[in-house]
Amino acid sequence: MFFEDSYLWFKALHVISVTAWMAGLFYLPRLYVYHTEAEVGSELSETLKIMERRLLRAIMYPAMIASIIFGVFLLLEIDAWDQGWLHVKLLCIVGLIVFNMALAKYRLAFLEDRNQKSEKFYRMINEVPTLLMIVLVIMVIVKPF
């Protein structure tokens, strides 16, 4: 029974993990906006450090890894390597992974109280996952090419 429905299970688990990962990609830059406004060494700054670490390590990393694993399982099931929409989707996924890694790097700067980026910077980069998500959803649902 499971093997007959494996594609649907992989798809469900992929959607769940992508949803969790995207939630983190949307929320972590927002925490950074608040963190830039907090005084270094303040209780708020120290609380944000804990929240940022937990979000990245407990939610975003596991969700990203699960998204990739279940995505690979789906790729093996659909055999769409010659379709343009898949190439664009994979490029966007690389973009999300790079964005995730950049957010992790920015967290280390906050952790060491040496952030040099502005609140405006974090507000602007907060749009990156939204734009990539829009392209991803269109590629997967519409498959324009």
Side-chain angles (χ1 to χ4, degrees):
M1 171 83 175
F2 177 78
F3 293 109
E4 293 174 11
D5 297 328
S6 63
Y7 177 78
L8 295 178
W9 279 102
F10 294 150
K11 186 186 268 189
L13 294 170
H14 184 65
V15 169
I16 291 165
S17 57
V18 166
T19 302
W21 184 26
M22 291 302 298
L25 290 172
F26 293 142
Y27 189 48
L28 191 54
R30 176 57 48 189
L31 288 178
Y32 293 164
V33 168
Y34 301 141
H35 207 152
T36 59
E37 299 170 347
E39 189 175 324
V40 171
S42 68
E43 184 178 343
L44 176 57
S45 178
E46 297 307 309
T47 299
L48 287 167
K49 288 177 185 180
I50 293 167
M51 292 172 66
E52 293 157 0
R53 177 181 49 83
R54 288 180 179 168
L55 178 60
L56 193 63
R57 290 187 180 173
I59 296 173
M60 292 172 66
Y61 283 150
M64 178 180 68
I65 291 165
S67 296
I68 293 167
I69 290 170
F70 294 122
V72 168
F73 289 156
L74 290 173
L75 280 174
L76 296 174
E77 295 270 342
I78 64 171
D79 189 34
W81 291 105
D82 60 341
Q83 297 179 29
W85 67 267
L86 180 60
H87 299 156
V88 174
K89 178 186 177 184
L90 293 174
L91 184 62
C92 289
I93 292 166
V94 169
L96 288 175
I97 293 168
V98 169
F99 185 73
N100 195 107
M101 296 175 106
L103 291 177
K105 179 184 170 195
Y106 300 145
R107 188 189 77 79
L108 292 178
F110 280 112
L111 183 63
E112 298 167 357
D113 294 323
R114 58 174 178 80
N115 172 58
Q116 299 296 313
K117 308 262 186 244
S118 69
E119 169 222 352
K120 184 176 181 179
F121 171 80
Y122 292 115
R123 285 185 189 277
M124 287 183 2
I125 68 163
N126 200 30
E127 303 307 322
V128 170
T130 302
L131 296 173
L132 289 171
M133 180 196 63
I134 290 168
V135 174
L136 279 163
V137 170
I138 290 170
M139 291 302 114
V140 172
I141 303 298
V142 179
K143 296 180 177 131
F145 47 87

